[in-house]
Amino acid sequence: MKNKVGVEISENVLKQYGYQPFAGTKIGHLISQRVAPAVHVMAGPSKVATSLADVVKNNVRDGMTISFHHHLREGDMVFNQVMQLIIDEGIKDLTLAPSSLTNVMNDMVIKAIKAGTVTHITSSGMRGSLGDAVSHGLLPNPVIFRSHGGRARAIETGKIKIDVAFLGVPNADEMGNANGMTGDAAFGSLGYALMDARYADKVVLLTDNIVDYPNTPASINQTQVDYVVKVDQVGDPDLIGSGATRFTKDPKELKIAQMVNSVITHSPYFKNGFSFQTGSGGAALAVTRYLRQAMIDQKIKASFALGGITKPTTDLLDEGLVKKVMDVQDFDKGAADSMHKNPAQQEIDSSWYADPFNKGAMVSKLDVVILSALQIDTDFNVNVLTGSDGVIRGAIGGHQDAATAKLTIISAPLVRGRLATIVPKMTSITTPGDSIDVVATELGIAINPARQDLVKQLSHIPGVPVYTIQELQQKAADIVGQPVPIQYIDRPVALAEYRDGTLIDVIHQVQE
Amino acid sequence: MKNKVGVEISENVLKQYGYQPFAGTKIGHLISQRVAPAVHVMAGPSKVATSLADVVKNNVRDGMTISFHHHLREGDMVFNQVMQLIIDEGIKDLTLAPSSLTNVMNDMVIKAIKAGTVTHITSSGMRGSLGDAVSHGLLPNPVIFRSHGGRARAIETGKIKIDVAFLGVPNADEMGNANGMTGDAAFGSLGYALMDARYADKVVLLTDNIVDYPNTPASINQTQVDYVVKVDQVGDPDLIGSGATRFTKDPKELKIAQMVNSVITHSPYFKNGFSFQTGSGGAALAVTRYLRQAMIDQKIKASFALGGITKPTTDLLDEGLVKKVMDVQDFDKGAADSMHKNPAQQEIDSSWYADPFNKGAMVSKLDVVILSALQIDTDFNVNVLTGSDGVIRGAIGGHQDAATAKLTIISAPLVRGRLATIVPKMTSITTPGDSIDVVATELGIAINPARQDLVKQLSHIPGVPVYTIQELQQKAADIVGQPVPIQYIDRPVALAEYRDGTLIDVIHQVQE
């Protein structure tokens, strides 16, 4: 059968993995029964463990689900330590359920798969050698990709049941009160990890910085924590930030950023009290800069900025151009530092950020969002998971979640090198075209015909040519030609969930 | 059979109400399976309800459990509004499960009982006309009295399953982000209410102050809230605070406060980094004043002050004499205002404060606590629930919870009017003598003989005569004589739980 975005999904796959096919972006008024952990009651004076090895030995068992967060990004020094100990312990058949996987973890994940230690993975995404290995069939079971909101939903409803969470923090006291804001490895918001802390049966904090009791603010508090483990270093401060804190000088990126900015400022949403999410990366930072100027010029102030936060966004907060920053993760040191200083920068967990099955997530109040894409098809569907070669090299992140904003703009170059971004048929679908309103490229924009209101409002912006998505696709094809079809093997290596837990796509093994 | 504090409890009562007898103050390393609410998924742009009457009509059903918090104390304007509508709606057989009941609610609770609207009550306590009515048999089922930590435990483990929570807040946005810190009815910490917000199936916020979205800090956040109801006024600011912000001039209270202070400052716990809970009331404020001077004189700084907080305590924070204030409720406007200004004053929920079935509550790290008593017996057991006439006129509050501190001091006058405080046999037992270390009266102190270390350390303090508890009891009897025995009817009107959910006492109906 075909799901709502036209993806052919076999009944077999649906049955075997327990899925309903994706049926639309609308979330109904369902009742979501939440689950809760089993709490190991503890009344001693300290939770500081003698060694990480002991904690692993005494708590991790064959078949369990273990989790990590990715707030330390490429600077993470937690995952590899813990996973090596688990492999050494000879533990098998684990489900690895981190908020996401970064490149620094790749070798160790591959090692753990090869050792039979990890047999299932659910993640926001994966890249590099791991994505490559998984795409070529390394993992015995398909990876389940979930958005940040989807992961929150899955944890809250018990689809992901975490037995032991290993969470790196830049500070903690002996009872487990911790936050992400101070210490050598400070990374700001603990947004994703807050879910693990609340729902895992056992919570292990790893920190290089044990501070006086009681530690405040306690984003994670002692009622959630079983062990505190002192390690030499939880993260490399130089690699924690994305690095991309300077504005791009790439003329193509600047051009796209100008298009995006023009779309926003000419839309009916650009008015006092509007809200936005820009994300990270060079183009996003450039948009923020242009937007800042437009806000000053037109005396417009935003009610909130949402999502993954960068310093240019916290600068808007300091300048009074944005009233609140709702912060699920910080992409650079500047944003992380700001959270500690500015009470208007509120730490939010990923449920509050984006869980579709709750009493209202922040994304449901979002006016404008700028999102990226690996590929876009002529139905405005977006792929952020697989490259043009069919290999996994991305992450859903908050893509599906934030795409529910009133004005969702995909910012992408028409072509990347010799590869088209806008294509007739993508290697996989992550976010339904239903929720995409505008595609902005360096040549001009395409507006989703489902949004005739926007067609009217955005069709005569100076310097912003409007094309149909088919025209943009043709322009891309004219530059790079038609792609060579990929040869797949009939074996799923990954299942891409929509944020509501339905199946939006099945990613197949790529032939060598 | 007799429980561990010697209270005769019939097998019938244990069976009928599903209790184990109190067996000791120690909490084992059990596993506590938590429960979770059913979430009604909501994705609309606003939760502001058209009327409170509609919300009641559409959400409250016969037999449900409803809850309220008591942070607005005698200034509460929420409870009476809601309960009148529920009575008007003809709803029957509710369980009323507030964090506590204040006098301003008494008439309405009595009305609701008489109407058959409320047939079960669980609370921290009750006073005045309600305590009197219940003690004389008004309620068809026994009230269950739980400590603040016990209530948190009961909610987290499903013993209390709240269907609808009605929570008054001094500010909220249209999606339900709210805190207790600003607005006309500001009361500071939402500590008790945070449990209801997290565990109730439906959460209704009542506020007189709808603010811009998104409202931060969000002690309660939008993922927890179903409705926001605008009311004229949630509380009378003049009655929210306890009023007792000035130091007592009563010579007896000052004398007791001096005794308490001497005990603390001569104990081994009075050193850098110590922690304490003083509570409210004239004597407690006086203790805080004396303690402040001793801290200055001896250059001692506390790591944290805990519990219900008063301005004299937040003053210590401002002065740097206390590093952190861990705040589950504020007793006066000064303390409430301070929370908004000083990030070192951390809002904590009642689980974090005191739940014995979690991964460590703040009370388990507490060095020194000063608690009050209605009666104390010669086994050091304390009664804070019933008067010498057997009538309910008190509340457990955090009494049982904080009594687990390393040094628990009961501060009480030897006699009150013509009634002895220290008696051979109390009208009910709330807190086991096991957890009480010192009783301080205006005449001198008694030290629990189980604490021979303290007997040694505290027996030669200038101006602090040491007696046995029997001697103090005799002195009281010498002044006021023997009390007339109370006539009870063999019908339980209230069950007093110990914090772990075992039955510590059964309070019987008083004969007219």
Side-chain angles (χ1 to χ4, degrees):
Chain A
M1 61 96 54
K2 279 190 172 166
N3 72 8
K4 197 68 188 289
V5 283
V7 170
E8 184 67 46
I9 299 181
S10 76
E11 293 291 342
N12 249 1
V13 165
L14 293 176
K15 201 178 289 174
Q16 185 174 355
Y17 301 108
Y19 277 103
Q20 295 293 318
F22 169 69
T25 54
K26 235 187 163 69
I27 306 295
H29 289 282
L30 58 146
I31 295 175
S32 169
Q33 178 58 51
R34 295 294 169 84
V35 297
V39 166
H40 294 250
V41 173
M42 193 278 189
S46 168
K47 297 173 185 174
V48 177
T50 46
S51 82
L52 183 55
D54 281 351
V55 171
V56 165
K57 200 181 173 118
N58 295 328
N59 293 281
V60 183
R61 298 278 171 270
D62 290 358
M64 280 187 166
T65 295
I66 61 168
S67 77
F68 300 83
H69 69 66
H70 72 293
H71 288 288
L72 290 154
R73 281 170 297 271
E74 299 303 341
D76 187 281
M77 292 174 132
V78 167
F79 180 84
N80 289 343
Q81 278 186 71
V82 174
M83 191 53 82
Q84 183 62 59
L85 286 166
I86 293 176
I87 295 171
D88 291 348
E89 201 54 45
I91 293 160
K92 305 289 175 196
D93 200 23
L94 296 182
T95 296
L96 179 60
S99 54
S100 199
L101 291 164
T102 56
N103 286 309
V104 71
M105 307 170 188
N106 283 353
D107 289 350
M108 189 59 75
V109 178
I110 291 171
K111 192 170 166 183
I113 296 171
K114 288 182 173 166
T117 299
V118 167
T119 51
H120 294 77
I121 297 177
T122 176
S123 176
S124 165
M126 52 179 60
R127 294 183 173 85
S129 58
L130 178 61
D132 199 64
V134 166
S135 290
H136 288 90
L138 180 70
L139 192 70
N141 302 286
V143 173
I144 300 175
F145 288 118
R146 293 178 164 107
S147 71
H148 292 321
R151 181 179 193 260
R153 171 194 49 73
I155 292 173
E156 290 181 316
T157 57
K159 295 272 182 190
I160 299 176
K161 170 82 194 74
I162 303 166
D163 294 295
V164 189
F166 294 93
L167 306 176
V169 284
N171 61 70
D173 64 32
E174 61 190 0
M175 291 298 280
N177 298 298
N179 64 62
M181 303 175 204
T182 57
D184 290 342
F187 50 76
S189 176
L190 267 161
Y192 306 128
L194 298 179
M195 303 307 296
D196 306 59
R198 209 175 301 144
Y199 284 90
D201 277 356
K202 296 270 183 77
V203 175
V204 183
L205 296 189
L206 294 91
T207 189
D208 47 21
N209 181 27
I210 296 186
V211 300
D212 284 349
Y213 184 89
N215 185 24
T216 64
S219 304
I220 292 174
N221 81 50
Q222 66 186 70
T223 65
Q224 305 171 320
V225 175
D226 296 87
Y227 301 96
V228 176
V229 181
K230 178 87 165 64
V231 294
D232 290 341
Q233 211 178 348
V234 292
D236 178 345
D238 292 338
L239 299 174
I240 293 171
S242 64
T245 55
R246 282 189 305 175
F247 301 120
T248 182
K249 284 176 180 164
D250 179 329
K252 201 204 265 187
E253 282 196 337
L254 286 173
K255 189 81 194 152
I256 299 171
Q258 280 163 1
M259 296 279 180
V260 170
N261 182 60
S262 291
V263 167
I264 296 171
T265 56
H266 287 82
S267 81
Y269 306 106
F270 189 62
K271 60 184 183 197
N272 251 327
F274 86 114
S275 59
F276 65 91
Q277 173 175 321
T278 50
S280 66
L285 295 179
V287 170
T288 306
R289 177 170 56 165
Y290 293 135
L291 205 55
R292 172 182 174 274
Q293 197 54 53
M295 289 168 77
I296 293 170
D297 293 345
Q298 298 184 43
K299 296 190 172 36
I300 284 175
K301 290 179 182 181
S303 57
F304 67 90
L306 179 64
I309 302 301
T310 58
K311 183 164 188 303
T313 301
T314 60
D315 287 346
L316 297 182
L317 185 67
D318 292 338
E319 285 185 85
L321 292 170
V322 166
K323 269 178 80 173
K324 300 282 168 74
V325 167
M326 307 302 276
D327 186 344
V328 73
Q329 95 179 95
D330 293 288
F331 286 122
D332 56 48
K333 199 171 150 26
D337 286 348
S338 163
M339 174 173 258
H340 189 46
K341 288 176 213 143
N342 197 330
Q345 187 172 344
Q346 166 92 39
E347 183 175 47
I348 63 174
D349 61 50
S350 51
S351 175
W352 188 1
Y353 171 51
D355 178 4
F357 283 11
N358 74 20
K359 298 177 182 178
M362 290 295 311
V363 291
S364 75
K365 297 287 277 188
L366 192 59
D367 290 325
V368 179
V369 65
I370 302 130
L371 296 169
S372 63
L374 289 173
Q375 296 182 312
I376 305 148
D377 72 16
T378 49
D379 290 329
F380 286 84
N381 297 314
V382 177
N383 162 26
V384 291
L385 276 173
T386 48
S388 56
D389 55 357
V391 171
I392 299 162
R393 58 177 84 254
I396 307 182
H399 204 282
Q400 297 169 342
D401 305 309
T404 58
K406 296 186 187 70
L407 174 59
T408 300
I409 305 167
I410 301 295
S411 143
L414 198 65
V415 298
R416 288 187 176 91
R418 291 179 313 164
L419 299 169
T421 305
I422 305 178
V423 295
K425 187 165 165 46
M426 308 190 293
T427 53
S428 70
I429 295 181
T430 314
T431 301
D434 222 33
S435 51
I436 308 301
D437 301 306
V438 175
V439 172
T441 71
E442 66 277 25
L443 288 193
I445 66 169
I447 303 166
N448 191 329
R451 291 296 303 270
Q452 285 300 313
D453 56 329
L454 292 177
V455 171
K456 205 174 290 176
Q457 285 146 353
L458 304 175
S459 284
H460 307 285
I461 310 172
V464 182
V466 178
Y467 301 98
T468 66
I469 190 81
Q470 289 79 9
E471 286 168 342
L472 285 182
Q473 185 266 311
Q474 193 52 57
K475 281 178 188 292
D478 290 349
I479 301 170
V480 297
Q482 295 297 333
V484 185
I486 304 158
Q487 299 300 315
Y488 290 104
I489 295 170
D490 186 22
R491 173 177 178 249
V493 295
L495 307 171
E497 285 190 4
Y498 186 60
R499 61 197 297 258
D500 65 357
T502 58
L503 193 59
I504 192 159
D505 209 344
V506 179
I507 298 170
H508 287 89
Q509 186 168 337
V510 175
Q511 202 145 43
E512 296 282 344
Chain B
M1 60 98 54
K2 277 189 173 171
N3 72 9
K4 197 68 189 289
V5 283
V7 170
E8 185 65 46
I9 299 180
S10 76
E11 293 291 342
N12 248 1
V13 164
L14 293 175
K15 200 177 291 173
Q16 185 174 356
Y17 301 107
Y19 277 102
Q20 296 292 317
F22 168 70
T25 54
K26 233 185 165 69
I27 306 294
H29 289 282
L30 59 148
I31 296 174
S32 168
Q33 178 57 52
R34 294 294 168 85
V35 297
V39 166
H40 294 251
V41 173
M42 192 278 188
S46 168
K47 298 174 184 172
V48 177
T50 46
S51 82
L52 183 57
D54 281 352
V55 171
V56 165
K57 201 182 173 113
N58 296 329
N59 293 281
V60 183
R61 298 279 170 270
D62 290 358
M64 278 186 167
T65 294
I66 61 169
S67 77
F68 300 84
H69 68 66
H70 73 293
H71 288 288
L72 289 154
R73 281 170 296 273
E74 299 303 340
D76 188 281
M77 293 173 130
V78 167
F79 180 85
N80 289 342
Q81 277 186 71
V82 173
M83 191 52 82
Q84 183 62 58
L85 286 166
I86 293 176
I87 295 171
D88 291 348
E89 201 54 45
I91 293 160
K92 305 290 175 195
D93 199 24
L94 296 182
T95 296
L96 179 60
S99 55
S100 200
L101 291 164
T102 56
N103 286 309
V104 70
M105 307 170 187
N106 282 353
D107 288 352
M108 188 59 75
V109 178
I110 291 171
K111 193 170 165 182
I113 296 171
K114 287 182 173 166
T117 299
V118 167
T119 51
H120 293 78
I121 297 177
T122 176
S123 176
S124 165
M126 53 179 59
R127 293 183 173 86
S129 57
L130 178 61
D132 199 65
V134 166
S135 290
H136 288 92
L138 181 69
L139 191 71
N141 302 286
V143 173
I144 299 175
F145 287 117
R146 292 177 165 108
S147 71
H148 292 320
R151 181 179 192 259
R153 171 194 49 73
I155 291 173
E156 290 182 316
T157 57
K159 294 273 181 188
I160 299 177
K161 170 80 193 72
I162 302 167
D163 294 294
V164 190
F166 295 93
L167 306 176
V169 283
N171 62 71
D173 64 31
E174 61 190 0
M175 292 298 281
N177 297 299
N179 65 61
M181 303 175 206
T182 58
D184 291 342
F187 50 76
S189 175
L190 267 160
Y192 306 128
L194 297 179
M195 302 307 297
D196 306 59
R198 209 176 299 144
Y199 284 89
D201 278 355
K202 297 270 183 77
V203 175
V204 183
L205 296 189
L206 295 92
T207 190
D208 46 21
N209 181 27
I210 295 186
V211 300
D212 285 349
Y213 184 88
N215 185 25
T216 64
S219 305
I220 292 174
N221 82 50
Q222 67 186 72
T223 65
Q224 306 171 319
V225 175
D226 296 86
Y227 302 95
V228 176
V229 181
K230 178 87 164 66
V231 294
D232 290 340
Q233 212 177 346
V234 292
D236 179 345
D238 293 338
L239 298 174
I240 294 172
S242 65
T245 53
R246 281 189 306 176
F247 301 119
T248 182
K249 285 178 179 161
D250 179 327
K252 201 204 269 186
E253 283 194 339
L254 286 174
K255 189 82 196 153
I256 298 171
Q258 281 163 1
M259 297 278 179
V260 170
N261 181 61
S262 291
V263 167
I264 296 171
T265 56
H266 287 83
S267 81
Y269 306 107
F270 189 63
K271 59 185 181 195
N272 251 327
F274 86 114
S275 59
F276 65 90
Q277 173 175 321
T278 50
S280 66
L285 296 178
V287 170
T288 307
R289 177 170 57 165
Y290 293 135
L291 205 53
R292 172 181 173 274
Q293 198 54 53
M295 290 168 78
I296 293 170
D297 293 345
Q298 300 184 43
K299 298 191 173 31
I300 284 175
K301 290 178 182 184
S303 58
F304 67 91
L306 179 64
I309 304 300
T310 58
K311 185 164 186 302
T313 300
T314 61
D315 286 347
L316 297 183
L317 185 68
D318 292 339
E319 285 185 84
L321 292 171
V322 166
K323 270 179 78 173
K324 300 282 168 73
V325 167
M326 307 303 274
D327 187 344
V328 72
Q329 96 179 94
D330 294 288
F331 286 122
D332 57 49
K333 199 170 150 25
D337 286 349
S338 163
M339 174 173 259
H340 189 44
K341 288 174 215 144
N342 197 330
Q345 187 172 345
Q346 167 91 39
E347 183 175 47
I348 63 174
D349 61 49
S350 51
S351 175
W352 188 1
Y353 170 50
D355 178 3
F357 283 13
N358 74 21
K359 297 177 184 179
M362 290 294 311
V363 290
S364 74
K365 297 286 276 187
L366 193 58
D367 289 326
V368 178
V369 64
I370 302 130
L371 296 169
S372 62
L374 290 172
Q375 295 182 313
I376 305 148
D377 72 17
T378 48
D379 290 328
F380 287 85
N381 298 313
V382 177
N383 161 26
V384 290
L385 277 173
T386 48
S388 55
D389 54 358
V391 171
I392 298 162
R393 59 175 85 253
I396 306 182
H399 204 282
Q400 297 170 342
D401 305 308
T404 58
K406 296 187 187 70
L407 174 58
T408 300
I409 305 167
I410 301 296
S411 141
L414 198 67
V415 298
R416 289 185 176 94
R418 291 178 313 163
L419 300 168
T421 304
I422 306 178
V423 295
K425 186 166 168 43
M426 310 191 291
T427 54
S428 70
I429 295 181
T430 315
T431 301
D434 222 33
S435 51
I436 307 301
D437 301 306
V438 175
V439 172
T441 70
E442 67 277 25
L443 288 194
I445 66 170
I447 303 166
N448 191 328
R451 291 296 303 271
Q452 285 300 314
D453 56 330
L454 291 177
V455 170
K456 205 174 290 177
Q457 285 145 353
L458 304 175
S459 284
H460 306 286
I461 309 171
V464 182
V466 179
Y467 300 98
T468 65
I469 189 80
Q470 289 78 9
E471 286 169 342
L472 284 182
Q473 185 267 309
Q474 193 53 55
K475 282 179 187 291
D478 290 349
I479 302 169
V480 298
Q482 295 298 333
V484 184
I486 304 156
Q487 299 299 315
Y488 291 104
I489 295 169
D490 185 22
R491 175 179 176 245
V493 295
L495 306 171
E497 284 189 6
Y498 185 60
R499 61 197 296 257
D500 66 358
T502 58
L503 193 58
I504 193 161
D505 209 344
V506 178
I507 298 169
H508 286 89
Q509 185 168 337
V510 175
Q511 201 146 43
E512 296 282 347

